[in-house]
Amino acid sequence: MKKLWQKDNKSTLDPVIEAFETKGDLLMDQKLIKYDVQGSLAHAKMLCKIGILSKSELAKLEKGLLEILSLNSQGKFLLKIGDEDMHTKIENFLTEKYGKAGQKIHTGRSRNDQVLTAIRLYSKEMMEKIKQELTGLIKSFENFSQKFGSVKMPGYTHMQKAMPSSIGLWAGSFIESLQDDLSLLEAAANLNDQSPLGSAAGYGTPLKLDREYTVKLLGFAKAQNNFLYCQNSKGKIEALILAALTQILLTVNKFGSDIMLFTTSEFNFFQVSDALTTGSSIMPQKKNPDVAELLRAKVHLVLGNYTALVSLSSNLPSGYNRDLQDMKKPLLESLEITLDSIKVTGILLNNLTPKREVMESALTEEIFAAQKAYKLVQKNMPFRKAYGEVK
Amino acid sequence: MKKLWQKDNKSTLDPVIEAFETKGDLLMDQKLIKYDVQGSLAHAKMLCKIGILSKSELAKLEKGLLEILSLNSQGKFLLKIGDEDMHTKIENFLTEKYGKAGQKIHTGRSRNDQVLTAIRLYSKEMMEKIKQELTGLIKSFENFSQKFGSVKMPGYTHMQKAMPSSIGLWAGSFIESLQDDLSLLEAAANLNDQSPLGSAAGYGTPLKLDREYTVKLLGFAKAQNNFLYCQNSKGKIEALILAALTQILLTVNKFGSDIMLFTTSEFNFFQVSDALTTGSSIMPQKKNPDVAELLRAKVHLVLGNYTALVSLSSNLPSGYNRDLQDMKKPLLESLEITLDSIKVTGILLNNLTPKREVMESALTEEIFAAQKAYKLVQKNMPFRKAYGEVK
Amino acid sequence: MKKLWQKDNKSTLDPVIEAFETKGDLLMDQKLIKYDVQGSLAHAKMLCKIGILSKSELAKLEKGLLEILSLNSQGKFLLKIGDEDMHTKIENFLTEKYGKAGQKIHTGRSRNDQVLTAIRLYSKEMMEKIKQELTGLIKSFENFSQKFGSVKMPGYTHMQKAMPSSIGLWAGSFIESLQDDLSLLEAAANLNDQSPLGSAAGYGTPLKLDREYTVKLLGFAKAQNNFLYCQNSKGKIEALILAALTQILLTVNKFGSDIMLFTTSEFNFFQVSDALTTGSSIMPQKKNPDVAELLRAKVHLVLGNYTALVSLSSNLPSGYNRDLQDMKKPLLESLEITLDSIKVTGILLNNLTPKREVMESALTEEIFAAQKAYKLVQKNMPFRKAYGEVK
Amino acid sequence: MKKLWQKDNKSTLDPVIEAFETKGDLLMDQKLIKYDVQGSLAHAKMLCKIGILSKSELAKLEKGLLEILSLNSQGKFLLKIGDEDMHTKIENFLTEKYGKAGQKIHTGRSRNDQVLTAIRLYSKEMMEKIKQELTGLIKSFENFSQKFGSVKMPGYTHMQKAMPSSIGLWAGSFIESLQDDLSLLEAAANLNDQSPLGSAAGYGTPLKLDREYTVKLLGFAKAQNNFLYCQNSKGKIEALILAALTQILLTVNKFGSDIMLFTTSEFNFFQVSDALTTGSSIMPQKKNPDVAELLRAKVHLVLGNYTALVSLSSNLPSGYNRDLQDMKKPLLESLEITLDSIKVTGILLNNLTPKREVMESALTEEIFAAQKAYKLVQKNMPFRKAYGEVK
């Protein structure tokens, strides 16, 4: 397919190079098409508003763009090597079908601001979903706590029995952790909620674009004001999103770690429903709660993606650098992983039954030592002396 | 020195083990003493308020704690191996000097919530300073932009000349980047601004502590509500702080990267004052702007520390785990690095003079190609056709 | 499909959980099938040798396994959710087609050692390919050096002109770097070249398996001796492989970084063939060597994957932990990225022409300052004095 | 103090900048002085051999350098801000005391190759010590295995009881892991064992230095041949060393993780000597094996340092970049951490007593299920059928 920057469609690009540059990226673009079309729809409306597109040209482009959305949702707008990227394929589709109107769609923008707009829209939508799931998960922990909160269990420090605790305290720790995570996610979502559209290649255009109009059409909170910062924020804001996801997955990891420990036959504090355990290919007796292991695993993947993004973004001068193309996959993957992990944490929680007797009989005598010392304190003995006494 | 948990002061701990466990940590505690004393002052006042300390006992403890602060500020309260940690040394100091009052200071708390309180207070203060420096740096960029903003320079994409830009656009990109950084830092500071004091070992105490009172005395915004979450948030909130610092240092890195490129003799866009360049031990002619290299370096160190913190915090069950002791150094180091880097960025900026003629003569003809295409667009030629025309 | 551990094929596993546990993993297994079949062929031969399979049973299994290989190479052995994993699908295929023989294939092994064997075989083959490409790339740099080695160019320190250099010195630095990389890759390949087959779930089996025989059939250098270590080395050896790939990609990154700098219009040291540059969608004049940017990007992705692997592998007790399933993707992806990057580096190098005159005229006077000092040294002036003199 | 590149000793460098550039670095240089002096001694001998220093000048320099070593070992050669770095302080010391001879010591070298030589010597010595400790630790595990190897214990998968295991198998897994670690460490040590001395700033000198002679004097295996590669390998070889240390610390982490789990009161498999446990400040009953927690923590710190080093080294053009100064601290710290951790692992191991009865009674019936299936296999039942039967 003819590239946007080519005079003719004889690709002169070395095929190994072309595959290296686009093979993996097209898989990401396939997921972003929907958002790229949204951006194009808004951009076209704005071009019409400022007089660059006629109403009939706009109508054609809207028709074409909706056709693309529809084809795409049927799996019929497939990107393949040679297409360069989704932007090229979309513009070529529009130009082939609607001629001059298609040739105008790129007025006043660059693929640089275009792809960034699509990425920010995608992240915005995914974070919205994650927020909803997080809220639901908090609710689930609250229900769990209402149901089982009064069950006593040992509290641990250094993985050793320390003091009396309860399922209420334990479940509550996840609720508060998730609330903190939610608040950080909102901070990340706010920083993401800025439209780069109209910054073109990072240096604007001589045209008087109405950026506020596209901001409104796309539902962004505001525009990124500085054109160059749009490009410089690429990878940086995405790294921050991954830091927010990492916080969520740290909470998930803590839950998974607890479940793995508390469902050993030695601790034996919880029952996991059969619908969530799997067997062994060699040991007939096994029922493994391996969903907890896979939940535990996820924070590490997103940490790796975060590391990649920060390292990728640094030591580079201002302006667009194509290195950042490789930010798409870690970002998309991390958002998907997090969304799935929250859902699955909820399912695991709903399939968890505390073994009340086991838990309560685990409150052996030594666990009350500090409380004994406090009794002496209440009789006015200095704490350190009471401590020595009990010891 | 006698440990808090020992009956007598014959240390039975293997000396190699003791050094391994405390050597590096004591260096961190030395920096945290001030905050630990603040926490103890507030805790003592609260113990008095709820009737555990008499007024005269409180007076003694306040006196003792202020003595420690004073000794410490003179470098005379030095922690050494055998002291275990700052908490032990402080309690022992108070007990030796003020007897029973000292033996009561630990009532209703554990070193677990105590150290976390000191860390959160330290981070709070450091982030406050960083916020002030950030605000100052934004101001410096604004001044720089007012002074030199109208100077034209090439804008780059793929490190190739792309479109006309200006110092105003370039400096503005850092302003907007720092504003975003500030907003994230505030989100991190808010999450840090929660008092863990009163959660004891992570499971509370039977005493009716007045946690709201210590919150107020220490200037925290609120208390962490769930006792267990206090310990589970250890490392997690600190990781988040490091993510916020990383954002700042990414902006600093971008600035350093630009300066290194733009001061090569090939680009030659800026003059750096002699007071900021160093020479070579072997090449007499050299004047290196190596402060920009060292600014560029810092984000990587904090990224490393972040990675350490997340990895350290994961795959561990709920409750205090001593692994997290090793979070102190990456945290303290990162806060110091960031504070210094912002200051130094401001100094570098204030010692930077654009070479107007070199910059403007770098605006060679090809850089206006897109603008030529836009002229044709304004005469109603579709953009893609105009693009082909100019090409 | 019936799981190996199920009595009947009514899956009781929650479908969201099943998707979470296997969706991404099946994509990796699809790439590993070939190696899993190799492992099964060797295992079956060994079972026959020790008398567990009859010759005719072995013949059936060999037939079935070759059928799978053939179907797979035609894209007709596709794993889908419900298949659990490649091992299950393969055993089920064999059992359905060859009855009792199929039911025997799993004797004396577990999916734990089976998947590890497939992974180690895959890594072994990929590292072999990478070694060949590395050797070829060293050759290409040698050719480049022979052709252009005598061209003079400035040598830089702190990105400032420092001393006279040459393309010979520059190209030679990559040769020596790649030789070091090759030597480390061999160390990693040696550690990978150990067969885990026969360790079963990590605790062996009561059968007298002939592990040396499968070692020989599969072409491993030796067996991992300790059963438990097989599982404990999962993720650990793979992390090490990624560290070796990172070294290679650091060399590639240095090359990409140099090319990006040296092809700016300000440096202008090299010409890159048109077949390797791409254009801009908005700026008609642009020819970007963006393949160098994408080469530069890769080390960060593999660093991220390494971080994920180490973090994933730590804080876990001995024995199989399913968390490590998530090691497959970072590993496979990193091996593919590295192989491609070396190839593409070679192509870029072969499409690079030094601009001799530009380079040599960049050797401006100041670059000879150290050499002037050395002339004075040769006349017996102490170096530091000569340095002062020239300065 | 007068810098090597200054005409006079009026420092013109901004003091905040100077502190930023050297404060932390001088602490590292303090540890490297000994190695820098070694490098200087060898360099001076070589300069004498090739006729640049007279024998009497060499004698003076040797005297002066030994004086520095002696002062340093008494803590009397302290670097402070204003000294710039150890190289400057040493050259200034020699020049002040021995005049012209001191002014000649820098002939034919740059601080670039000088510091790299010191770093490589330091790493070489530390890795030698680590190898010895590793060998000792392997021996300790062998002794442990001889003593307790026959004790039966459960083997775990998914943290669930899986099959019968033994202390012999468990201890053996660490032996084999450490042997692999040793082999990788040797590969890293070999790559480090190359002398950069004589490469000067990365572009050699016009003098005919005898590099083989300094190689021999310093005990390196060979010289790094390409001058530019010496600088380009800075950070890269050090990253590789950290990858090798990470492998060791992953083994240590596995041991620490097992000990933490196996000493919970729920598992209760091992007794740790009192000399290695610490108490709680609030809970009188506690005895925590927290040395295992701190061992578990270390791999994360070195992973963070590795991440920092790779990220720091990438996206930079060829030649010396001062960014890499910040590699010193992560490197030195990681080597020290690893050396200490191996020692402490050995001590912990030697203070560990298996509770034979607890372990063996943990071999409950279900753990023999696979073995029952194998009994049926030995009576010629296909494995999968036997598995179903037992289930």
Side-chain angles (χ1 to χ4, degrees), chain A residues 372-384:
Chain A
K372 277 182 205 160
Y374 279 118
K375 288 231 169 90
L376 299 174
V377 165
Q378 280 158 333
K379 290 175 189 159
N380 218 13
M381 187 183 288
F383 176 76
R384 187 59 58 214

Side-chain angles (χ1 to χ4, degrees), chain B residues 212-330:
Chain B
E212 284 315 309
Y213 187 55
T214 51
V215 161
K216 204 183 127 197
L217 289 171
L218 292 169
F220 279 113
K222 60 170 182 160
Q224 283 189 299
N225 180 54
N226 182 285
F227 297 149
L228 181 54
Y229 178 58
C230 294
Q231 288 308 313
N232 289 356
S233 74
K234 186 174 181 182
K236 182 169 175 284
I237 286 181
E238 285 69 26
L240 158 63
I241 293 174
L242 266 52
L245 303 183
T246 299
Q247 291 283 312
I248 296 169
L249 291 175
L250 276 173
T251 306
V252 167
N253 176 279
K254 183 67 76 190
F255 182 66
S257 299
D258 279 354
I259 296 308
M260 286 309 295
L261 184 65
F262 290 159
T263 58
T264 59
S265 63
E266 287 77 4
F267 278 78
N268 193 28
F269 285 174
F270 288 102
Q271 181 80 34
V272 178
S273 308
D274 281 0
L276 271 77
T277 60
T278 61
S280 154
S281 65
I282 175 173
M283 294 163 289
Q285 86 281 9
K286 294 292 300 273
K287 275 203 211 169
N288 300 314
D290 39 12
V291 64
E293 291 171 292
L294 288 168
L295 284 174
R296 204 167 52 175
K298 300 310 180 221
V299 69
H300 308 291
L301 302 182
V302 175
L303 170 63
N305 286 340
Y306 175 83
T307 303
L309 249 60
V310 174
S311 187
L312 187 61
S313 305
S314 54
N315 293 4
L316 294 177
S318 280
Y320 176 89
N321 296 292
R322 191 161 172 188
D323 315 54
L324 269 302
Q325 170 180 303
D326 276 339
M327 161 274 266
K328 283 182 194 168
K329 192 177 177 189

